[in-house]
Amino acid sequence: MKLLSEKNYVTTLLFIATLYPTTLSEKDTEELLVEVGTEEEVIAEDDGNATGKASFVPDGTEDIEILFNNEDDVPEEIGECSRISPKEIFHNEIHLRLLDALDEMSHFVEAVLTRIESALEILLPHVHESPIGNLKVQDLFPEVRQFLFGTMRDVYDVVRASWRDLIRTHVSAPNDADQQVEALRIIKDAQIQGEEKLKASLTELSVTLRAIILNSIYVIQESLKLPENTEPKQAAAQISRKLPKVAPNFLGTLMMKMIEKGDDRDAYKKLLTNTLRYITGPVDKMYEQLETLVRAGPSKEEDLQNYWKSMIEESHSRLREDPIEPSKYEILFRNEEYLTELVLGLMATF
């Protein structure tokens, strides 16, 4: 008896065969950018006011940096205090938490793909025994990276653009609560759509990794030339004995875990799916409170000022309770035991 059923194996391979070149269409991105108010004009040109570029790149040659200084991305009248505004919340908290979330995701993706890619090179001599032939590692992984990192970049751009639209609205109409609550609604929608895109990209990563792991187990099993009547436990034991020779690495650890725990998703600890939870929660609350103020009837100038003062105080409170620490994800994901559990959790979740 085969350790993997023919149906399970073929279905998994069909996923990986049809997965690429799935990418975010330019049309989708353009439509969302129009919705959040990014016209041809920009508030601050990237080459003028930026201190660096936020880049979600897989080669590790660039770190994610802060795109903008805390001033001058929206021109203000002389004497205006930008600290009593959404600009203060965005630059001091939201922007940093957004970068941190995408930084963590990018380091996780690269740590996994780098290890899997190198591990497959060791298995290549056995791949000819697989019915799908050569895995074409050189084509698969660049496409995976392009899709995942492209999605992260798109999400970052759209969320940032929606916040810049709110800041622009606050500067041009500081006493118009209706315009500002609408700008906050657009931010809310942009973050929801961004989170859905990140979920979709993690789902495709999960399907890809699952296909690679199951196919690798199948390849090793086929190389053993086990009799058709071999019991699953016996087949698993023989595969486990061979794993240290052909996959003494991260991929081998994942295969061993899959053999031990099986294909039941409930056997693994699932991950949280709301990747942007540290910014969606605060924004939802900001929107609800401003919407309540608008529904109460015409607001006075001081009402809106007090609202933003309150939102800034809450932002500072969140930063005290949950400060944004310097990123150490590259070091964290060197722990392969921890990384293995995350991958198994990813496959169980998405």
mmCIF file of all heavy atoms in Angstrom, residues 6-22 132 135 140 143-144 147 200 202-215 263 265 347 350:
data_model
loop_
_atom_site.group_PDB
_atom_site.id
_atom_site.type_symbol
_atom_site.label_atom_id
_atom_site.label_comp_id
_atom_site.label_asym_id
_atom_site.label_seq_id
_atom_site.Cartn_x
_atom_site.Cartn_y
_atom_site.Cartn_z
ATOM 1 N N GLU A 6 -3.064 7.843 -4.461
ATOM 2 C CA GLU A 6 -2.874 8.385 -5.795
ATOM 3 C C GLU A 6 -3.692 9.667 -5.988
ATOM 4 O O GLU A 6 -3.229 10.638 -6.559
ATOM 5 C CB GLU A 6 -3.308 7.341 -6.842
ATOM 6 C CG GLU A 6 -2.998 7.743 -8.280
ATOM 7 C CD GLU A 6 -1.512 7.715 -8.568
ATOM 8 O OE1 GLU A 6 -0.769 7.080 -7.799
ATOM 9 O OE2 GLU A 6 -1.104 8.324 -9.558
ATOM 10 N N LYS A 7 -4.915 9.655 -5.437
ATOM 11 C CA LYS A 7 -5.786 10.822 -5.577
ATOM 12 C C LYS A 7 -5.203 12.037 -4.872
ATOM 13 O O LYS A 7 -5.148 13.135 -5.420
ATOM 14 C CB LYS A 7 -7.164 10.507 -4.992
ATOM 15 C CG LYS A 7 -8.139 11.685 -5.099
ATOM 16 C CD LYS A 7 -9.474 11.303 -4.490
ATOM 17 C CE LYS A 7 -10.432 12.497 -4.543
ATOM 18 N NZ LYS A 7 -11.730 12.185 -3.925
ATOM 19 N N ASN A 8 -4.716 11.830 -3.648
ATOM 20 C CA ASN A 8 -4.137 12.926 -2.871
ATOM 21 C C ASN A 8 -2.908 13.486 -3.575
ATOM 22 O O ASN A 8 -2.706 14.688 -3.675
ATOM 23 C CB ASN A 8 -3.768 12.423 -1.477
ATOM 24 C CG ASN A 8 -3.264 13.548 -0.597
ATOM 25 O OD1 ASN A 8 -3.582 14.698 -0.814
ATOM 26 N ND2 ASN A 8 -2.486 13.190 0.407
ATOM 27 N N TYR A 9 -2.078 12.602 -4.098
ATOM 28 C CA TYR A 9 -0.838 13.021 -4.755
ATOM 29 C C TYR A 9 -1.124 13.816 -6.031
ATOM 30 O O TYR A 9 -0.599 14.902 -6.242
ATOM 31 C CB TYR A 9 -0.012 11.789 -5.078
ATOM 32 C CG TYR A 9 1.200 12.070 -5.938
ATOM 33 C CD1 TYR A 9 2.259 12.809 -5.424
ATOM 34 C CD2 TYR A 9 1.262 11.628 -7.250
ATOM 35 C CE1 TYR A 9 3.356 13.082 -6.199
ATOM 36 C CE2 TYR A 9 2.361 11.897 -8.028
ATOM 37 C CZ TYR A 9 3.408 12.621 -7.505
ATOM 38 O OH TYR A 9 4.485 12.891 -8.274
ATOM 39 N N VAL A 10 -1.994 13.274 -6.875
ATOM 40 C CA VAL A 10 -2.292 13.920 -8.155
ATOM 41 C C VAL A 10 -2.970 15.267 -7.934
ATOM 42 O O VAL A 10 -2.651 16.266 -8.577
ATOM 43 C CB VAL A 10 -3.183 13.015 -9.030
ATOM 44 C CG1 VAL A 10 -3.640 13.772 -10.276
ATOM 45 C CG2 VAL A 10 -2.419 11.764 -9.428
ATOM 46 N N THR A 11 -3.911 15.324 -6.993
ATOM 47 C CA THR A 11 -4.603 16.581 -6.702
ATOM 48 C C THR A 11 -3.634 17.657 -6.252
ATOM 49 O O THR A 11 -3.711 18.807 -6.682
ATOM 50 C CB THR A 11 -5.662 16.366 -5.598
ATOM 51 O OG1 THR A 11 -6.582 15.374 -6.035
ATOM 52 C CG2 THR A 11 -6.416 17.669 -5.315
ATOM 53 N N THR A 12 -2.701 17.263 -5.396
ATOM 54 C CA THR A 12 -1.712 18.231 -4.898
ATOM 55 C C THR A 12 -0.846 18.753 -6.032
ATOM 56 O O THR A 12 -0.556 19.945 -6.113
ATOM 57 C CB THR A 12 -0.831 17.574 -3.835
ATOM 58 O OG1 THR A 12 -1.669 17.038 -2.818
ATOM 59 C CG2 THR A 12 0.106 18.597 -3.214
ATOM 60 N N LEU A 13 -0.435 17.860 -6.932
ATOM 61 C CA LEU A 13 0.419 18.287 -8.030
ATOM 62 C C LEU A 13 -0.321 19.186 -9.006
ATOM 63 O O LEU A 13 0.261 20.075 -9.619
ATOM 64 C CB LEU A 13 0.972 17.062 -8.768
ATOM 65 C CG LEU A 13 1.931 16.202 -7.948
ATOM 66 C CD1 LEU A 13 2.471 15.079 -8.802
ATOM 67 C CD2 LEU A 13 3.071 17.033 -7.408
ATOM 68 N N LEU A 14 -1.624 18.977 -9.147
ATOM 69 C CA LEU A 14 -2.399 19.845 -10.023
ATOM 70 C C LEU A 14 -2.396 21.278 -9.509
ATOM 71 O O LEU A 14 -2.374 22.232 -10.279
ATOM 72 C CB LEU A 14 -3.838 19.326 -10.136
ATOM 73 C CG LEU A 14 -4.028 18.108 -11.040
ATOM 74 C CD1 LEU A 14 -5.472 17.622 -10.966
ATOM 75 C CD2 LEU A 14 -3.660 18.432 -12.477
ATOM 76 N N PHE A 15 -2.389 21.420 -8.170
ATOM 77 C CA PHE A 15 -2.317 22.757 -7.573
ATOM 78 C C PHE A 15 -1.053 23.471 -8.000
ATOM 79 O O PHE A 15 -1.074 24.607 -8.439
ATOM 80 C CB PHE A 15 -2.342 22.669 -6.046
ATOM 81 C CG PHE A 15 -3.718 22.719 -5.474
ATOM 82 C CD1 PHE A 15 -4.196 21.654 -4.728
ATOM 83 C CD2 PHE A 15 -4.535 23.818 -5.665
ATOM 84 C CE1 PHE A 15 -5.469 21.694 -4.197
ATOM 85 C CE2 PHE A 15 -5.805 23.867 -5.123
ATOM 86 C CZ PHE A 15 -6.270 22.793 -4.388
ATOM 87 N N ILE A 16 0.053 22.769 -7.864
ATOM 88 C CA ILE A 16 1.342 23.419 -8.149
ATOM 89 C C ILE A 16 1.513 23.674 -9.643
ATOM 90 O O ILE A 16 2.152 24.623 -10.058
ATOM 91 C CB ILE A 16 2.511 22.572 -7.600
ATOM 92 C CG1 ILE A 16 3.762 23.441 -7.499
ATOM 93 C CG2 ILE A 16 2.796 21.367 -8.443
ATOM 94 C CD1 ILE A 16 4.880 22.764 -6.747
ATOM 95 N N ALA A 17 0.877 22.834 -10.459
ATOM 96 C CA ALA A 17 0.994 23.000 -11.903
ATOM 97 C C ALA A 17 0.215 24.206 -12.396
ATOM 98 O O ALA A 17 0.574 24.840 -13.386
ATOM 99 C CB ALA A 17 0.498 21.750 -12.624
ATOM 100 N N THR A 18 -0.872 24.548 -11.700
ATOM 101 C CA THR A 18 -1.732 25.648 -12.141
ATOM 102 C C THR A 18 -1.520 26.922 -11.347
ATOM 103 O O THR A 18 -2.192 27.918 -11.594
ATOM 104 C CB THR A 18 -3.212 25.242 -12.013
ATOM 105 O OG1 THR A 18 -3.485 24.923 -10.648
ATOM 106 C CG2 THR A 18 -3.510 24.027 -12.878
ATOM 107 N N LEU A 19 -0.592 26.896 -10.429
ATOM 108 C CA LEU A 19 -0.451 28.010 -9.484
ATOM 109 C C LEU A 19 0.132 29.252 -10.120
ATOM 110 O O LEU A 19 -0.213 30.368 -9.798
ATOM 111 C CB LEU A 19 0.437 27.570 -8.325
ATOM 112 C CG LEU A 19 0.375 28.407 -7.054
ATOM 113 C CD1 LEU A 19 -1.045 28.531 -6.551
ATOM 114 C CD2 LEU A 19 1.261 27.790 -5.996
ATOM 115 N N TYR A 20 1.018 29.092 -11.058
ATOM 116 C CA TYR A 20 1.760 30.217 -11.605
ATOM 117 C C TYR A 20 1.495 30.358 -13.090
ATOM 118 O O TYR A 20 1.193 29.383 -13.771
ATOM 119 C CB TYR A 20 3.259 30.036 -11.326
ATOM 120 C CG TYR A 20 3.487 29.878 -9.869
ATOM 121 C CD1 TYR A 20 3.673 28.611 -9.315
ATOM 122 C CD2 TYR A 20 3.406 30.976 -9.017
ATOM 123 C CE1 TYR A 20 3.810 28.469 -7.950
ATOM 124 C CE2 TYR A 20 3.543 30.827 -7.660
ATOM 125 C CZ TYR A 20 3.743 29.574 -7.138
ATOM 126 O OH TYR A 20 3.868 29.415 -5.785
ATOM 127 N N PRO A 21 1.615 31.546 -13.662
ATOM 128 C CA PRO A 21 2.122 32.778 -13.054
ATOM 129 C C PRO A 21 1.015 33.656 -12.467
ATOM 130 O O PRO A 21 0.736 34.719 -12.988
ATOM 131 C CB PRO A 21 2.821 33.475 -14.209
ATOM 132 C CG PRO A 21 1.974 33.055 -15.398
ATOM 133 C CD PRO A 21 1.432 31.686 -15.085
ATOM 134 N N THR A 22 0.372 33.213 -11.392
ATOM 135 C CA THR A 22 -0.664 34.008 -10.748
ATOM 136 C C THR A 22 -0.047 35.243 -10.117
ATOM 137 O O THR A 22 0.783 35.129 -9.258
ATOM 138 C CB THR A 22 -1.347 33.183 -9.653
ATOM 139 O OG1 THR A 22 -1.820 31.973 -10.232
ATOM 140 C CG2 THR A 22 -2.515 33.956 -9.050
ATOM 141 N N ILE A 132 5.954 13.410 -12.617
ATOM 142 C CA ILE A 132 5.880 14.753 -13.198
ATOM 143 C C ILE A 132 7.228 15.204 -13.751
ATOM 144 O O ILE A 132 7.347 16.292 -14.285
ATOM 145 C CB ILE A 132 5.375 15.779 -12.173
ATOM 146 C CG1 ILE A 132 6.373 15.951 -11.017
ATOM 147 C CG2 ILE A 132 4.015 15.457 -11.667
ATOM 148 C CD1 ILE A 132 6.091 17.160 -10.153
ATOM 149 N N LEU A 135 11.442 18.979 -11.455
ATOM 150 C CA LEU A 135 10.669 20.004 -10.756
ATOM 151 C C LEU A 135 10.930 21.420 -11.272
ATOM 152 O O LEU A 135 10.189 22.330 -10.968
ATOM 153 C CB LEU A 135 10.989 19.963 -9.252
ATOM 154 C CG LEU A 135 10.277 18.896 -8.454
ATOM 155 C CD1 LEU A 135 10.767 18.903 -7.015
ATOM 156 C CD2 LEU A 135 8.776 19.144 -8.474
ATOM 157 N N LEU A 140 10.454 27.702 -10.696
ATOM 158 C CA LEU A 140 9.419 27.763 -9.665
ATOM 159 C C LEU A 140 9.663 28.865 -8.632
ATOM 160 O O LEU A 140 8.796 29.705 -8.384
ATOM 161 C CB LEU A 140 9.314 26.412 -8.957
ATOM 162 C CG LEU A 140 8.383 26.351 -7.742
ATOM 163 C CD1 LEU A 140 6.955 26.679 -8.148
ATOM 164 C CD2 LEU A 140 8.466 24.994 -7.059
ATOM 165 N N GLU A 143 9.294 32.673 -9.487
ATOM 166 C CA GLU A 143 7.896 33.041 -9.675
ATOM 167 C C GLU A 143 7.181 33.164 -8.336
ATOM 168 O O GLU A 143 6.354 34.063 -8.137
ATOM 169 C CB GLU A 143 7.206 32.005 -10.569
ATOM 170 C CG GLU A 143 7.661 32.067 -12.014
ATOM 171 C CD GLU A 143 7.079 30.948 -12.849
ATOM 172 O OE1 GLU A 143 6.430 30.059 -12.281
ATOM 173 O OE2 GLU A 143 7.277 30.973 -14.079
ATOM 174 N N VAL A 144 7.488 32.258 -7.411
ATOM 175 C CA VAL A 144 6.897 32.334 -6.074
ATOM 176 C C VAL A 144 7.300 33.644 -5.402
ATOM 177 O O VAL A 144 6.471 34.355 -4.829
ATOM 178 C CB VAL A 144 7.337 31.135 -5.208
ATOM 179 C CG1 VAL A 144 6.808 31.278 -3.783
ATOM 180 C CG2 VAL A 144 6.847 29.824 -5.811
ATOM 181 N N PHE A 147 5.606 36.789 -6.974
ATOM 182 C CA PHE A 147 4.206 36.936 -6.596
ATOM 183 C C PHE A 147 4.061 37.413 -5.151
ATOM 184 O O PHE A 147 3.345 38.371 -4.861
ATOM 185 C CB PHE A 147 3.464 35.616 -6.787
ATOM 186 C CG PHE A 147 2.061 35.643 -6.238
ATOM 187 C CD1 PHE A 147 1.097 36.441 -6.815
ATOM 188 C CD2 PHE A 147 1.719 34.890 -5.131
ATOM 189 C CE1 PHE A 147 -0.193 36.489 -6.309
ATOM 190 C CE2 PHE A 147 0.437 34.932 -4.609
ATOM 191 C CZ PHE A 147 -0.529 35.732 -5.205
ATOM 192 N N ALA A 200 -4.566 35.594 0.465
ATOM 193 C CA ALA A 200 -4.524 34.854 -0.795
ATOM 194 C C ALA A 200 -3.099 34.439 -1.140
ATOM 195 O O ALA A 200 -2.855 33.317 -1.604
ATOM 196 C CB ALA A 200 -5.113 35.706 -1.925
ATOM 197 N N LEU A 202 -0.597 33.980 1.003
ATOM 198 C CA LEU A 202 -0.178 32.948 1.955
ATOM 199 C C LEU A 202 -0.833 31.613 1.630
ATOM 200 O O LEU A 202 -0.234 30.547 1.838
ATOM 201 C CB LEU A 202 -0.521 33.375 3.380
ATOM 202 C CG LEU A 202 0.337 34.497 3.959
ATOM 203 C CD1 LEU A 202 -0.215 34.966 5.304
ATOM 204 C CD2 LEU A 202 1.792 34.049 4.115
ATOM 205 N N THR A 203 -2.046 31.644 1.108
ATOM 206 C CA THR A 203 -2.715 30.407 0.689
ATOM 207 C C THR A 203 -1.950 29.751 -0.446
ATOM 208 O O THR A 203 -1.739 28.531 -0.458
ATOM 209 C CB THR A 203 -4.160 30.698 0.249
ATOM 210 O OG1 THR A 203 -4.894 31.228 1.362
ATOM 211 C CG2 THR A 203 -4.852 29.431 -0.228
ATOM 212 N N GLU A 204 -1.518 30.545 -1.404
ATOM 213 C CA GLU A 204 -0.767 29.984 -2.522
ATOM 214 C C GLU A 204 0.602 29.470 -2.078
ATOM 215 O O GLU A 204 1.089 28.453 -2.576
ATOM 216 C CB GLU A 204 -0.635 31.011 -3.641
ATOM 217 C CG GLU A 204 -1.984 31.392 -4.236
ATOM 218 C CD GLU A 204 -1.885 31.886 -5.661
ATOM 219 O OE1 GLU A 204 -0.804 31.776 -6.273
ATOM 220 O OE2 GLU A 204 -2.896 32.378 -6.170
ATOM 221 N N LEU A 205 1.215 30.174 -1.120
ATOM 222 C CA LEU A 205 2.473 29.670 -0.569
ATOM 223 C C LEU A 205 2.240 28.342 0.124
ATOM 224 O O LEU A 205 3.025 27.396 -0.019
ATOM 225 C CB LEU A 205 3.051 30.682 0.416
ATOM 226 C CG LEU A 205 4.322 30.241 1.168
ATOM 227 C CD1 LEU A 205 5.474 29.984 0.199
ATOM 228 C CD2 LEU A 205 4.720 31.279 2.212
ATOM 229 N N SER A 206 1.159 28.247 0.875
ATOM 230 C CA SER A 206 0.827 27.015 1.585
ATOM 231 C C SER A 206 0.625 25.857 0.621
ATOM 232 O O SER A 206 1.153 24.759 0.825
ATOM 233 C CB SER A 206 -0.446 27.225 2.423
ATOM 234 O OG SER A 206 -0.887 26.011 2.990
ATOM 235 N N VAL A 207 -0.135 26.097 -0.441
ATOM 236 C CA VAL A 207 -0.393 25.051 -1.435
ATOM 237 C C VAL A 207 0.908 24.610 -2.111
ATOM 238 O O VAL A 207 1.156 23.416 -2.328
ATOM 239 C CB VAL A 207 -1.400 25.555 -2.491
ATOM 240 C CG1 VAL A 207 -1.512 24.566 -3.649
ATOM 241 C CG2 VAL A 207 -2.771 25.757 -1.854
ATOM 242 N N THR A 208 1.759 25.574 -2.421
ATOM 243 C CA THR A 208 3.044 25.264 -3.066
ATOM 244 C C THR A 208 3.921 24.400 -2.159
ATOM 245 O O THR A 208 4.473 23.382 -2.591
ATOM 246 C CB THR A 208 3.790 26.562 -3.417
ATOM 247 O OG1 THR A 208 2.963 27.365 -4.250
ATOM 248 C CG2 THR A 208 5.087 26.253 -4.143
ATOM 249 N N LEU A 209 4.070 24.816 -0.911
ATOM 250 C CA LEU A 209 4.909 24.059 0.027
ATOM 251 C C LEU A 209 4.356 22.660 0.253
ATOM 252 O O LEU A 209 5.106 21.682 0.322
ATOM 253 C CB LEU A 209 5.020 24.809 1.351
ATOM 254 C CG LEU A 209 5.750 26.154 1.307
ATOM 255 C CD1 LEU A 209 5.692 26.839 2.666
ATOM 256 C CD2 LEU A 209 7.192 25.982 0.855
ATOM 257 N N ARG A 210 3.043 22.571 0.363
ATOM 258 C CA ARG A 210 2.408 21.266 0.576
ATOM 259 C C ARG A 210 2.696 20.334 -0.603
ATOM 260 O O ARG A 210 3.007 19.158 -0.417
ATOM 261 C CB ARG A 210 0.898 21.472 0.748
ATOM 262 C CG ARG A 210 0.156 20.246 1.220
ATOM 263 C CD ARG A 210 -1.335 20.571 1.365
ATOM 264 N NE ARG A 210 -2.018 19.519 2.054
ATOM 265 C CZ ARG A 210 -2.047 19.388 3.368
ATOM 266 N NH1 ARG A 210 -1.420 20.270 4.131
ATOM 267 N NH2 ARG A 210 -2.693 18.388 3.936
ATOM 268 N N ALA A 211 2.578 20.875 -1.813
ATOM 269 C CA ALA A 211 2.841 20.071 -3.001
ATOM 270 C C ALA A 211 4.291 19.598 -3.046
ATOM 271 O O ALA A 211 4.581 18.442 -3.373
ATOM 272 C CB ALA A 211 2.512 20.878 -4.253
ATOM 273 N N ILE A 212 5.217 20.504 -2.697
ATOM 274 C CA ILE A 212 6.641 20.156 -2.715
ATOM 275 C C ILE A 212 6.941 19.064 -1.694
ATOM 276 O O ILE A 212 7.646 18.087 -1.981
ATOM 277 C CB ILE A 212 7.503 21.402 -2.444
ATOM 278 C CG1 ILE A 212 7.448 22.357 -3.645
ATOM 279 C CG2 ILE A 212 8.954 21.009 -2.156
ATOM 280 C CD1 ILE A 212 8.125 23.683 -3.393
ATOM 281 N N ILE A 213 6.412 19.224 -0.485
ATOM 282 C CA ILE A 213 6.690 18.250 0.581
ATOM 283 C C ILE A 213 6.108 16.884 0.246
ATOM 284 O O ILE A 213 6.790 15.848 0.351
ATOM 285 C CB ILE A 213 6.139 18.755 1.926
ATOM 286 C CG1 ILE A 213 6.892 20.012 2.368
ATOM 287 C CG2 ILE A 213 6.271 17.675 3.007
ATOM 288 C CD1 ILE A 213 6.229 20.755 3.510
ATOM 289 N N LEU A 214 4.843 16.852 -0.182
ATOM 290 C CA LEU A 214 4.213 15.571 -0.504
ATOM 291 C C LEU A 214 4.869 14.912 -1.715
ATOM 292 O O LEU A 214 5.048 13.692 -1.747
ATOM 293 C CB LEU A 214 2.712 15.772 -0.756
ATOM 294 C CG LEU A 214 1.876 16.176 0.459
ATOM 295 C CD1 LEU A 214 0.415 16.357 0.075
ATOM 296 C CD2 LEU A 214 2.007 15.144 1.581
ATOM 297 N N ASN A 215 5.246 15.724 -2.697
ATOM 298 C CA ASN A 215 5.927 15.154 -3.859
ATOM 299 C C ASN A 215 7.299 14.600 -3.468
ATOM 300 O O ASN A 215 7.715 13.551 -3.966
ATOM 301 C CB ASN A 215 6.100 16.207 -4.942
ATOM 302 C CG ASN A 215 6.777 15.655 -6.181
ATOM 303 O OD1 ASN A 215 6.266 14.772 -6.841
ATOM 304 N ND2 ASN A 215 7.966 16.181 -6.478
ATOM 305 N N ASP A 263 -1.635 13.801 7.453
ATOM 306 C CA ASP A 263 -2.155 14.882 6.625
ATOM 307 C C ASP A 263 -3.374 15.554 7.252
ATOM 308 O O ASP A 263 -4.079 16.293 6.587
ATOM 309 C CB ASP A 263 -2.518 14.310 5.246
ATOM 310 C CG ASP A 263 -2.465 15.369 4.164
ATOM 311 O OD1 ASP A 263 -1.754 16.363 4.361
ATOM 312 O OD2 ASP A 263 -3.146 15.196 3.142
ATOM 313 N N ARG A 265 -5.133 18.268 9.168
ATOM 314 C CA ARG A 265 -4.825 19.659 9.499
ATOM 315 C C ARG A 265 -5.081 19.971 10.965
ATOM 316 O O ARG A 265 -4.490 20.896 11.521
ATOM 317 C CB ARG A 265 -5.664 20.598 8.625
ATOM 318 C CG ARG A 265 -5.304 20.498 7.151
ATOM 319 C CD ARG A 265 -5.883 21.643 6.362
ATOM 320 N NE ARG A 265 -5.442 21.582 4.971
ATOM 321 C CZ ARG A 265 -5.548 22.587 4.125
ATOM 322 N NH1 ARG A 265 -6.058 23.733 4.521
ATOM 323 N NH2 ARG A 265 -5.137 22.471 2.882
ATOM 324 N N MET A 347 0.387 25.569 6.605
ATOM 325 C CA MET A 347 -0.319 24.596 5.766
ATOM 326 C C MET A 347 -1.625 24.139 6.394
ATOM 327 O O MET A 347 -2.552 23.734 5.687
ATOM 328 C CB MET A 347 0.599 23.406 5.470
ATOM 329 C CG MET A 347 1.791 23.765 4.589
ATOM 330 S SD MET A 347 2.739 22.322 4.040
ATOM 331 C CE MET A 347 3.389 21.734 5.607
ATOM 332 N N PHE A 350 -4.052 27.731 5.942
ATOM 333 C CA PHE A 350 -4.462 28.249 4.625
ATOM 334 C C PHE A 350 -4.615 27.107 3.614
ATOM 335 O O PHE A 350 -3.769 26.265 3.514
ATOM 336 C CB PHE A 350 -3.437 29.261 4.120
ATOM 337 C CG PHE A 350 -3.329 30.493 4.977
ATOM 338 C CD1 PHE A 350 -2.344 30.590 5.952
ATOM 339 C CD2 PHE A 350 -4.217 31.538 4.817
ATOM 340 C CE1 PHE A 350 -2.228 31.730 6.747
ATOM 341 C CE2 PHE A 350 -4.117 32.665 5.619
ATOM 342 C CZ PHE A 350 -3.116 32.774 6.562
#
